[in-house]
Amino acid sequence: MAIFLSRWLTSPMRGISQGLKAIAAGHLETRISAKLKTSNRELQDLGRDFDFAAERLQTLAEGRTRLFHDISHEIRSPLARLRAAVGLIEVSPARGASLAGRMEGDISRLDHLVNEILTLARLERGEILGGLQTFDLLDLVENIIADANFEGRARNVTVAYSGVKTLNLMGNPELLHRACENIIRNALSHSPEGGLVQVTGQQIGEAVVLEVADEGPGVPEENLKNIFAPFVRVDKEMRSAGIGLGLAIASGALISHGGTIVARNRHPSGLVIKICIPLQT
């Protein structure tokens, strides 16, 4: 009876140990909470925490795998065009002037891609990427909205702002500009033709709250918690699908300011992204 009781008491720990060994062996799909036959609340909580950690590791690992594929694709195309342009110039040097603009565009695209990856890496290390100053966030948002409205003319998509007239806070203007721009551009690209992107700003307590709502297809509920992870793309077939860094950079920028970012679906369709930034970082 003592041996039986000992095995019964240690069975959950053996299950957790086996799960850890499976994770270490690369089996990131391993889950243990449903297999832990115990009434001990602490062990049940430990099992759920294990499953959560394993799920996050699996998501990040799959994201890295997609990264290698997407980065290789993003880099291969402009490099192929540059190689072809160089070949044409070698055959006919007179065509160099006409190809210079196209080559410059491909070089800029590669430079932007590398810069985004480096920015994300620095944000993941917790760097604020620059000095802090007091400024009006609404000035940045209005400029972004003006550019978005210009780009949205082709599909008759409108971006409109409503809310308070000033959103003063302390932070890094460049980093928060990039975060807001990525969020608004994401809403613009997922909006249907003739759609409306509504940006709302307000101050609640000691924080600035900004909401960006679109009329697109939204995101499956099970994927809402993953859209801010690096290299995650919910719908690979959408015309706006990039390499999945925009919202990840926005999330990193806000976290570096002590802020938060969440997403929820709206009725009947669309997605709302809400960011909260403390007035004092």
Side-chain angles (χ1 to χ4, degrees), residues 137 166-169 201-210 275-279:
L137 182 65
T166 58
L167 294 171
N168 293 320
L169 53 77
Q202 56 185 323
Q203 180 177 330
I204 300 179
E206 295 299 316
V208 166
V209 177
L210 205 68
I275 66 175
C276 182
I277 313 169
L279 300 180

Side-chain angles (χ1 to χ4, degrees), residues 15-16 18-20 22-23 26-36 46-62 225-226:
I16 295 173
Q18 292 171 359
L20 290 172
I23 292 292
H27 303 292
L28 301 181
E29 72 282 357
T30 302
R31 304 292 184 269
I32 65 171
S33 61
K35 301 177 182 179
L36 292 180
L46 180 59
R48 285 191 290 269
D49 292 341
F50 178 97
D51 288 354
F52 176 76
E55 182 181 358
R56 290 290 296 148
L57 286 173
Q58 184 179 15
T59 299
L60 292 174
E62 291 173 351
K225 60 183 178 181
N226 297 326

Side-chain angles (χ1 to χ4, degrees), residues 176-198:
L176 291 178
H177 180 279
R178 178 174 293 189
C180 294
E181 184 178 33
N182 287 344
I183 294 170
I184 293 175
R185 285 184 180 275
N186 179 77
L188 179 69
S189 63
H190 288 82
S191 294
E193 186 170 349
L196 172 66
V197 176
Q198 183 66 49

Side-chain angles (χ1 to χ4, degrees), residues 22-280:
I23 292 292
H27 303 292
L28 301 181
E29 72 282 357
T30 302
R31 304 292 184 269
I32 65 171
S33 61
K35 301 177 182 179
L36 292 180
K37 298 179 180 179
T38 178
S39 58
N40 186 292
R41 180 171 296 179
E42 286 76 13
L43 289 177
Q44 291 176 349
D45 291 341
L46 180 59
R48 285 191 290 269
D49 292 341
F50 178 97
D51 288 354
F52 176 76
E55 182 181 358
R56 290 290 296 148
L57 286 173
Q58 184 179 15
T59 299
L60 292 174
E62 291 173 351
R64 266 45 178 195
T65 301
R66 284 193 297 271
L67 167 68
F68 295 133
H69 175 271
D70 293 336
I71 290 295
S72 63
H73 174 74
E74 292 289 330
I75 292 179
R76 186 183 296 116
S77 298
L79 285 179
R81 290 193 294 268
L82 288 171
R83 187 178 294 112
V86 171
L88 290 173
I89 292 174
E90 290 176 347
V91 174
S92 177
R95 300 188 61 181
S98 62
L99 293 173
R102 182 175 300 177
M103 295 174 68
E104 179 64 28
D106 286 330
I107 293 172
S108 297
R109 183 179 181 184
L110 289 171
D111 183 66
H112 174 73
L113 177 63
V114 172
N115 184 55
E116 292 287 273
I117 295 173
L118 291 176
T119 298
L120 181 64
R122 295 176 66 184
L123 288 172
E124 287 184 338
R125 293 198 300 268
E127 298 182 26
I128 194 68
L129 303 184
L132 303 177
Q133 65 184 73
T134 300
F135 67 99
D136 188 355
L137 182 65
L138 186 55
D139 290 339
L140 304 181
V141 172
E142 287 179 338
N143 290 331
I144 297 170
I145 290 176
D147 292 339
N149 276 318
F150 180 79
E151 296 177 13
R153 289 180 182 177
R155 295 188 294 116
N156 196 30
V157 179
T158 303
V159 183
Y161 172 82
S162 64
V164 298
K165 302 302 181 183
T166 58
L167 294 171
N168 293 320
L169 53 77
M170 175 178 287
N172 182 295
E174 181 180 354
L175 203 54
L176 291 178
H177 180 279
R178 178 174 293 189
C180 294
E181 184 178 33
N182 287 344
I183 294 170
I184 293 175
R185 285 184 180 275
N186 179 77
L188 179 69
S189 63
H190 288 82
S191 294
E193 186 170 349
L196 172 66
V197 176
Q198 183 66 49
V199 182
T200 306
Q202 56 185 323
Q203 180 177 330
I204 300 179
E206 295 299 316
V208 166
V209 177
L210 205 68
E211 287 191 348
V212 180
D214 63 54
E215 298 176 343
V219 176
E221 291 293 332
E222 64 272 15
N223 291 329
L224 279 174
K225 60 183 178 181
N226 297 326
I227 63 174
F228 301 111
F231 321 121
V232 170
R233 297 182 303 173
V234 175
D235 190 347
K236 299 180 182 180
E237 304 301 323
M238 296 190 67
R239 64 178 180 276
S240 60
I243 60 172
L245 292 179
L247 292 181
I249 289 176
S251 177
L254 292 165
I255 291 174
S256 71
H257 282 76
T260 59
I261 181 170
V262 295
R264 71 176 188 275
N265 287 311
R266 62 185 304 201
H267 182 78
S269 65
L271 183 71
V272 179
I273 293 182
K274 177 181 178 181
I275 66 175
C276 182
I277 313 169
L279 300 180
Q280 299 290 332

